[in-house]
Coordinates of all heavy atoms in Angstrom, one line a residue:
I1 N 15.5 -23.1 -13.0 CA 15.0 -22.1 -13.9 C 13.5 -22.4 -14.1 O 12.6 -21.5 -14.0 CB 15.8 -22.0 -15.2 CG1 17.1 -21.5 -14.9 CG2 15.0 -21.1 -16.2 CD1 18.1 -21.5 -16.2
L2 N 13.2 -23.7 -14.4 CA 11.8 -24.0 -14.7 C 10.9 -23.8 -13.5 O 9.8 -23.2 -13.6 CB 11.7 -25.5 -15.2 CG 10.3 -26.1 -15.4 CD1 9.6 -25.3 -16.6 CD2 10.4 -27.5 -15.7
S3 N 11.5 -24.1 -12.3 CA 10.7 -23.9 -11.0 C 10.4 -22.4 -10.8 O 9.3 -22.1 -10.4 CB 11.4 -24.5 -9.9 OG 11.7 -25.9 -9.9
I4 N 11.4 -21.5 -11.1 CA 11.2 -20.2 -11.0 C 10.0 -19.6 -11.9 O 9.2 -18.8 -11.4 CB 12.5 -19.3 -11.3 CG1 13.6 -19.6 -10.3 CG2 12.2 -18.0 -11.4 CD1 14.9 -19.1 -10.6
Y5 N 10.0 -20.1 -13.1 CA 8.9 -19.7 -14.0 C 7.6 -20.2 -13.6 O 6.7 -19.5 -13.8 CB 9.3 -20.1 -15.5 CG 10.2 -19.1 -16.1 CD1 11.6 -19.4 -16.3 CD2 9.8 -17.9 -16.6 CE1 12.5 -18.5 -16.9 CE2 10.8 -16.9 -17.3 CZ 12.0 -17.3 -17.4 OH 12.8 -16.4 -18.0
I6 N 7.6 -21.4 -13.1 CA 6.3 -21.9 -12.6 C 5.8 -21.2 -11.4 O 4.6 -20.9 -11.5 CB 6.4 -23.5 -12.2 CG1 6.7 -24.3 -13.6 CG2 5.2 -24.0 -11.5 CD1 7.0 -25.7 -13.2
I7 N 6.6 -20.8 -10.5 CA 6.2 -20.1 -9.3 C 5.7 -18.7 -9.8 O 4.6 -18.3 -9.3 CB 7.3 -19.9 -8.4 CG1 7.7 -21.4 -7.7 CG2 7.1 -18.9 -7.3 CD1 9.0 -21.4 -7.0
N8 N 6.5 -18.0 -10.8 CA 6.0 -16.8 -11.2 C 4.7 -16.8 -12.0 O 3.9 -16.0 -11.8 CB 7.1 -16.2 -12.2 CG 6.8 -14.8 -12.6 OD1 6.7 -13.9 -11.7 ND2 6.8 -14.5 -13.8
F9 N 4.5 -17.9 -12.8 CA 3.3 -18.2 -13.5 C 2.1 -18.2 -12.5 O 1.1 -17.5 -12.7 CB 3.3 -19.3 -14.4 CG 2.0 -19.7 -15.1 CD1 1.5 -19.0 -16.1 CD2 1.2 -20.8 -14.4 CE1 0.3 -19.4 -16.8 CE2 0.0 -21.2 -15.1 CZ -0.4 -20.4 -16.2
L10 N 2.2 -19.1 -11.5 CA 1.2 -19.2 -10.5 C 0.9 -18.0 -9.8 O -0.2 -17.6 -9.4 CB 1.6 -20.3 -9.4 CG 1.7 -21.8 -10.0 CD1 2.2 -22.7 -9.0 CD2 0.3 -22.2 -10.7
N11 N 1.9 -17.1 -9.6 CA 1.8 -15.8 -8.8 C 0.9 -14.8 -9.8 O 0.2 -14.1 -9.3 CB 3.1 -15.2 -8.5 CG 3.0 -13.9 -7.8 OD1 2.4 -13.8 -6.7 ND2 3.5 -12.9 -8.4
I12 N 1.3 -14.9 -11.0 CA 0.6 -14.0 -11.9 C -0.9 -14.3 -12.1 O -1.7 -13.5 -12.0 CB 1.3 -14.1 -13.3 CG1 2.6 -13.5 -13.4 CG2 0.3 -13.3 -14.4 CD1 3.3 -13.6 -14.7
K13 N -1.1 -15.6 -12.0 CA -2.6 -16.2 -12.2 C -3.4 -15.9 -10.8 O -4.6 -16.1 -10.8 CB -2.6 -17.5 -12.5 CG -1.9 -18.0 -13.9 CD -2.6 -17.3 -15.1 CE -3.9 -18.1 -15.4 NZ -4.5 -17.5 -16.6
K14 N -2.6 -15.6 -9.8 CA -3.4 -15.4 -8.5 C -3.9 -13.9 -8.5 O -3.0 -13.0 -8.5 CB -2.4 -15.6 -7.3 CG -3.1 -15.4 -6.0 CD -2.1 -15.7 -4.8 CE -2.7 -15.5 -3.5 NZ -1.7 -15.7 -2.4
T15 N -5.2 -13.7 -8.6 CA -5.7 -12.4 -8.7 C -6.6 -12.0 -7.5 O -6.8 -12.9 -6.7 CB -6.6 -12.3 -9.9 OG1 -7.6 -13.3 -9.9 CG2 -5.8 -12.5 -11.2
S16 N -6.9 -10.8 -7.4 CA -7.8 -10.3 -6.3 C -9.1 -9.8 -6.8 O -9.2 -9.3 -7.9 CB -7.1 -9.2 -5.6 OG -8.0 -8.6 -4.6
N17 N -10.1 -10.1 -6.1 CA -11.6 -9.8 -6.5 C -12.0 -8.5 -5.7 O -13.2 -8.1 -6.0 CB -12.5 -10.9 -6.4 CG -12.2 -12.0 -7.4 OD1 -12.0 -11.7 -8.6 ND2 -12.3 -13.3 -7.0
S18 N -11.3 -7.9 -4.9 CA -11.7 -6.9 -4.1 C -11.9 -5.6 -5.0 O -11.0 -5.4 -5.9 CB -10.7 -6.6 -2.9 OG -11.0 -5.4 -2.3
Y19 N -12.9 -4.8 -4.7 CA -13.0 -3.6 -5.5 C -12.5 -2.3 -4.7 O -12.8 -1.3 -5.0 CB -14.5 -3.4 -5.8 CG -15.1 -4.1 -6.9 CD1 -16.0 -5.0 -6.8 CD2 -14.4 -3.9 -8.1 CE1 -16.5 -5.6 -7.9 CE2 -15.0 -4.5 -9.3 CZ -16.0 -5.5 -9.1 OH -16.4 -6.2 -10.3
E20 N -11.6 -2.7 -3.8 CA -10.9 -1.6 -3.1 C -9.9 -0.9 -4.1 O -9.1 -1.5 -4.8 CB -10.1 -2.1 -1.8 CG -9.3 -1.0 -1.2 CD -8.4 -1.6 0.0 OE1 -8.5 -2.8 0.0 OE2 -7.8 -0.8 0.6
I21 N -10.0 0.4 -4.2 CA -9.1 1.2 -5.2 C -8.0 1.8 -4.3 O -8.4 2.7 -3.5 CB -9.9 2.2 -6.1 CG1 -11.0 1.4 -6.7 CG2 -8.9 2.9 -6.9 CD1 -10.6 0.4 -7.8
L22 N -6.8 1.5 -4.5 CA -5.8 2.1 -3.8 C -5.3 3.4 -4.3 O -5.5 3.5 -5.6 CB -4.5 1.1 -3.6 CG -4.9 -0.3 -3.0 CD1 -3.6 -1.2 -3.1 CD2 -5.4 -0.2 -1.5
Q23 N -4.7 4.3 -3.6 CA -4.2 5.6 -4.2 C -2.9 5.9 -3.5 O -2.8 5.8 -2.2 CB -5.2 6.7 -4.1 CG -4.8 8.0 -4.7 CD -5.9 9.0 -4.9 OE1 -7.0 8.6 -5.4 NE2 -5.7 10.2 -4.6
K24 N -2.0 6.4 -4.3 CA -0.7 6.8 -3.7 C -0.2 8.1 -4.4 O -0.2 8.2 -5.5 CB 0.3 5.7 -3.9 CG 1.6 5.8 -3.1 CD 1.3 5.6 -1.7 CE 2.7 5.6 -0.8 NZ 2.4 5.4 0.7
Y25 N 0.3 9.0 -3.5 CA 0.8 10.3 -4.0 C 2.3 10.2 -4.1 O 3.0 9.9 -3.0 CB 0.3 11.4 -3.1 CG 0.9 12.8 -3.5 CD1 0.5 13.5 -4.6 CD2 1.9 13.4 -2.8 CE1 0.8 14.7 -5.0 CE2 2.4 14.7 -3.1 CZ 1.9 15.3 -4.2 OH 2.4 16.5 -4.6
K26 N 2.9 10.5 -5.2 CA 4.3 10.5 -5.5 C 5.0 9.4 -4.7 O 5.8 9.7 -3.9 CB 4.9 11.9 -4.9 CG 4.6 13.1 -5.8 CD 5.4 14.3 -5.4 CE 5.2 15.5 -6.2 NZ 5.6 15.3 -7.6
P27 N 4.7 8.1 -5.2 CA 5.3 7.0 -4.7 C 6.7 6.9 -5.0 O 7.3 7.3 -6.0 CB 4.4 5.9 -5.2 CG 4.1 6.4 -6.6 CD 3.8 7.9 -6.3
S28 N 7.5 6.2 -4.1 CA 8.8 5.8 -4.5 C 8.8 4.5 -5.2 O 7.8 3.8 -5.3 CB 9.6 5.6 -3.2 OG 9.3 4.5 -2.4
R29 N 10.0 4.1 -5.8 CA 10.1 2.8 -6.5 C 9.7 1.7 -5.6 O 9.0 0.7 -6.0 CB 11.4 2.7 -7.1 CG 11.7 1.3 -7.8 CD 11.1 1.3 -9.1 NE 11.4 0.0 -9.8 CZ 12.5 -0.4 -10.4 NH1 13.5 0.6 -10.6 NH2 12.7 -1.5 -11.0
N30 N 10.3 1.8 -4.5 CA 10.0 0.6 -3.5 C 8.5 0.6 -3.1 O 8.0 -0.6 -2.8 CB 10.9 0.8 -2.3 CG 12.4 0.5 -2.5 OD1 12.7 -0.2 -3.5 ND2 13.3 1.0 -1.7
E31 N 7.9 1.7 -2.9 CA 6.5 1.8 -2.5 C 5.7 1.1 -3.7 O 4.7 0.4 -3.5 CB 6.2 3.2 -2.3 CG 6.6 3.7 -1.0 CD 6.2 5.2 -0.8 OE1 6.2 5.9 -1.7 OE2 6.0 5.5 0.5
I32 N 6.0 1.4 -4.9 CA 5.2 0.9 -6.1 C 5.4 -0.6 -6.1 O 4.4 -1.4 -6.3 CB 5.7 1.4 -7.4 CG1 5.3 2.9 -7.4 CG2 5.1 0.7 -8.6 CD1 5.8 3.7 -8.7
V33 N 6.6 -1.1 -6.0 CA 6.9 -2.6 -6.0 C 6.0 -3.3 -4.9 O 5.5 -4.3 -5.0 CB 8.4 -2.9 -5.8 CG1 8.6 -4.4 -5.6 CG2 9.1 -2.4 -7.0
S34 N 6.0 -2.7 -3.7 CA 5.3 -3.2 -2.5 C 3.8 -3.2 -2.8 O 3.2 -4.2 -2.5 CB 5.7 -2.4 -1.3 OG 5.0 -2.9 -0.2
I35 N 3.3 -2.0 -3.2 CA 1.8 -2.0 -3.4 C 1.3 -2.8 -4.5 O 0.1 -3.2 -4.5 CB 1.4 -0.5 -3.5 CG1 0.0 -0.2 -3.1 CG2 1.7 0.0 -4.9 CD1 -0.4 1.2 -3.0
L36 N 2.1 -3.1 -5.5 CA 1.6 -4.0 -6.6 C 1.3 -5.4 -6.2 O 0.6 -6.1 -6.7 CB 2.6 -3.9 -7.7 CG 2.7 -2.7 -8.6 CD1 3.8 -2.9 -9.6 CD2 1.4 -2.3 -9.1
R37 N 1.8 -5.7 -5.1 CA 1.7 -7.2 -4.6 C 0.2 -7.3 -4.1 O -0.2 -8.5 -4.0 CB 2.6 -7.4 -3.4 CG 4.1 -7.4 -3.8 CD 5.0 -7.9 -2.7 NE 6.3 -8.0 -3.0 CZ 7.2 -7.0 -2.4 NH1 6.8 -6.2 -1.5 NH2 8.4 -7.1 -2.8
N38 N -0.4 -6.3 -3.9 CA -2.0 -6.4 -3.5 C -2.7 -6.8 -4.6 O -4.0 -7.2 -4.5 CB -2.5 -5.1 -2.9 CG -1.9 -4.6 -1.7 OD1 -2.1 -5.2 -0.6 ND2 -0.9 -3.6 -1.8
K39 N -2.3 -6.7 -5.9 CA -3.0 -7.1 -7.1 C -4.4 -6.4 -7.3 O -5.4 -6.9 -7.7 CB -3.2 -8.6 -7.2 CG -1.9 -9.3 -7.2 CD -2.1 -10.9 -7.3 CE -0.7 -11.6 -7.4 NZ 0.0 -11.4 -8.7
L40 N -4.3 -5.1 -6.9 CA -5.6 -4.3 -7.0 C -5.3 -3.1 -7.9 O -4.1 -2.7 -8.0 CB -5.9 -3.7 -5.5 CG -6.4 -4.7 -4.5 CD1 -6.4 -4.2 -3.1 CD2 -7.7 -5.4 -4.8
P41 N -6.4 -2.5 -8.4 CA -6.2 -1.2 -9.2 C -5.6 -0.2 -8.2 O -6.0 0.0 -7.1 CB -7.7 -0.9 -9.5 CG -8.4 -2.1 -9.5 CD -7.8 -2.9 -8.2
I42 N -4.6 0.6 -8.8 CA -4.0 1.7 -8.0 C -3.9 3.0 -8.6 O -3.5 2.9 -9.9 CB -2.6 1.2 -7.6 CG1 -2.5 -0.2 -7.0 CG2 -1.8 2.1 -6.6 CD1 -1.1 -0.8 -7.0
I43 N -4.3 4.0 -8.1 CA -4.1 5.4 -8.7 C -3.0 6.0 -8.1 O -2.7 6.1 -7.0 CB -5.4 6.1 -8.4 CG1 -6.7 5.5 -9.0 CG2 -5.2 7.6 -9.0 CD1 -7.9 6.2 -8.7
F44 N -2.1 6.5 -9.1 CA -0.9 7.2 -8.8 C -1.2 8.6 -9.1 O -1.5 9.0 -10.2 CB 0.3 6.6 -9.4 CG 0.7 5.2 -9.0 CD1 0.5 4.2 -10.0 CD2 1.1 5.0 -7.8 CE1 0.8 3.0 -9.6 CE2 1.4 3.7 -7.4 CZ 1.2 2.6 -8.3
V45 N -0.9 9.6 -8.1 CA -1.0 11.0 -8.3 C 0.4 11.7 -8.1 O 1.2 11.2 -7.3 CB -2.1 11.6 -7.3 CG1 -2.2 13.0 -7.5 CG2 -3.4 10.8 -7.4
G46 N 0.7 12.7 -8.9 CA 1.8 13.4 -8.6 C 3.0 12.9 -9.3 O 4.1 13.4 -9.0
V47 N 2.8 12.0 -10.2 CA 3.9 11.4 -10.9 C 4.2 12.1 -12.3 O 5.2 12.5 -12.6 CB 3.7 9.9 -11.1 CG1 4.8 9.2 -12.0 CG2 3.7 9.1 -9.8

């Protein structure tokens, strides 16, 4: 359990400095989970 939390903490602290702004129209739940891994600002339209 401790290892899981440490790994999650390190993942949260890993950020992106890119100024690329992603955009998605009417995303599915799986698409949102996947796109969040980029750790970039994301605009959602049609939600």
Side-chain angles (χ1 to χ4, degrees):
I1 294 174
L2 179 61
S3 298
I4 291 173
Y5 277 102
I6 290 175
I7 292 171
N8 189 55
F9 173 78
L10 294 175
N11 180 61
I12 292 172
K13 299 295 285 186
K14 184 180 179 182
T15 57
S16 173
N17 289 318
S18 171
Y19 278 119
E20 179 184 6
I21 307 295
L22 305 178
Q23 182 164 312
K24 193 71 178 178
Y25 177 74
K26 288 188 179 297
S28 67
R29 174 77 179 279
N30 289 337
E31 286 175 325
I32 291 176
V33 171
S34 176
I35 201 170
L36 288 182
R37 296 193 183 105
N38 293 287
K39 297 182 178 292
L40 293 170
I42 310 162
I43 297 173
F44 295 111
V45 183
V47 174

